[in-house]
């Protein structure tokens, strides 16, 4: 019974403590729909990103500002593209966000703004586009050190670079490179030196594992 969750009866200080709330959500995500869950927490970006990472449907309980935050909405539509219906009107006008939802299911377009629905062919053409990047990952001394990733075109031109934790995933790497390149993450096709295809089935793989594979090749 989420209405009777122990957090309801906690002090205001505990009830609004980010770490306490995140642990409570992990135990019972339904508390987000309860009548007593503080509105200010529904506007807390870190809390809602964590909740949406557990269940994309949590987007419906986010504040209006977060429903208009492209990163927050993209995290939800990766769980289920039809959660685009919970997004704010500004995000439903965002070409890249709608494209991300359509990448999983083209029918998600029904929840986009009327102006984007009118650009259906343009969106479908964009879905077919791929940016092929060759990546090289280098590690510094120490297991906890950041990994440096260099992305180049197939012709060898440097296009983007970033630093990530070994505990982050290939999906995180695509997100970071996409920001640097100004393109949707799902359009990126990564190829690891020496020629190993890193397809979408490996998105959750840790970068530490990828780096080890590349070193062994």
């Amino acid at each position: 019974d989420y209405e009777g969750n122990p957090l309801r009866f906690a002090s205001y200080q505990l009830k609004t403590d980010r770490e306490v709330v995140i642990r409570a959500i992990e135990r019972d995500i339904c508390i987000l729909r309860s009548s007593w869950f503080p509105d200010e927490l529904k506007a807390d970006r870190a809390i809602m990103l964590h909740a949406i990472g557990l269940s994309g449907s949590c987007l419906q309980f986010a504040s209006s500002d977060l429903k208009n935050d492209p990163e927050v909405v993209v995290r939800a539509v990766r769980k289920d593209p039809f959660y685009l219906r919970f997004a704010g009107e500004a995000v439903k006008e965002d070409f890249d966000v709608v494209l991300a939802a359509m990448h999983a299911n083209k029918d998600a377009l029904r929840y986009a703004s009327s102006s984007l629905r009118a650009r259906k062919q343009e969106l479908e053409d964009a879905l077919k586009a791929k940016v092929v990047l060759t990546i090289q990952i280098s590690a510094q001394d120490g297991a906890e050190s950041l990994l440096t990733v260099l992305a180049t075109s197939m012709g060898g031109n440097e296009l983007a670079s970033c630093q990530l934790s070994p505990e982050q995933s290939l999906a995180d790497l695509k997100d970071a490179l996409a920001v640097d390149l100004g393109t949707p993450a799902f359009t990126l096709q990564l190829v690891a030196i020496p020629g190993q295809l890193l397809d979408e089935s490996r998105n959750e793989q840790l970068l530490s594992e990828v780096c080890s594979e590349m070193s062994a090749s």
Side-chain angles (χ1 to χ4, degrees):
D1 179 6
Y2 55 83
E3 287 291 353
N5 187 283
L7 187 62
R8 177 180 186 176
F9 308 103
S11 66
Y12 178 78
Q13 183 176 2
L14 275 180
K15 195 182 294 185
T16 54
D17 183 288
R18 182 176 289 165
E19 291 186 10
V20 171
V21 172
I22 285 176
R23 287 199 299 269
I25 287 172
E26 289 173 345
R27 293 191 184 98
D28 183 5
I29 202 164
C30 291
I31 63 173
L32 280 170
R33 66 174 70 242
S34 66
S35 60
W36 54 266
F37 195 82
D39 286 342
E40 65 191 85
L41 298 185
K42 295 177 183 179
D44 186 301
R45 197 168 188 274
I47 288 175
M48 293 309 298
L49 278 173
H50 188 81
I52 290 168
L54 298 172
S55 174
S57 64
C58 291
L59 178 62
Q60 65 187 296
F61 305 115
S63 67
S64 58
D65 282 349
L66 291 183
K67 286 180 179 177
N68 282 299
D69 183 317
E71 182 184 349
V72 172
V73 175
V74 166
R75 181 166 295 195
V77 300
R78 281 180 178 169
K79 295 288 184 180
D80 185 325
F82 297 117
Y83 290 150
L84 182 62
R85 67 185 185 274
F86 298 131
E89 294 306 311
V91 172
K92 290 179 180 179
E93 290 267 6
D94 189 305
F95 190 96
D96 289 341
V97 174
V98 172
L99 202 60
M102 290 179 65
H103 177 61
N105 191 316
K106 290 182 181 179
D107 288 341
L109 179 61
R110 72 180 71 168
Y111 299 113
S113 67
S114 58
S115 61
L116 280 186
R117 291 199 302 273
R119 298 168 66 187
K120 179 181 178 181
Q121 189 58 55
E122 185 180 348
L123 284 158
E124 290 183 346
D125 289 344
L127 284 174
K128 301 171 186 175
K130 285 290 181 183
V131 178
V132 181
L133 299 175
T134 298
I135 63 166
Q136 184 170 1
I137 303 177
S138 57
Q140 305 298 319
D141 293 334
E144 301 302 319
S145 298
L146 293 176
L147 299 175
T148 299
V149 182
L150 176 65
T152 62
S153 67
M154 298 302 287
N157 296 318
E158 182 177 340
L159 298 178
S161 63
C162 60
Q163 287 190 317
L164 296 171
S165 161
E167 298 307 307
Q168 289 182 268
S169 66
L170 272 174
D172 294 324
L173 171 57
K174 286 184 178 180
D175 286 342
L177 293 175
V179 170
D180 205 5
L181 293 168
T183 190
F186 71 82
T187 66
L188 302 182
Q189 176 62 71
L190 304 185
V191 178
I193 295 174
Q196 183 181 21
L197 181 65
L198 302 174
D199 60 27
E200 291 186 3
S201 67
R202 302 181 61 177
N203 273 354
E204 300 307 314
Q205 188 172 13
L206 297 182
L207 292 178
S208 58
E209 298 172 358
V210 177
C211 189
S212 296
E213 289 178 12
M214 292 172 68
S215 298
S217 299

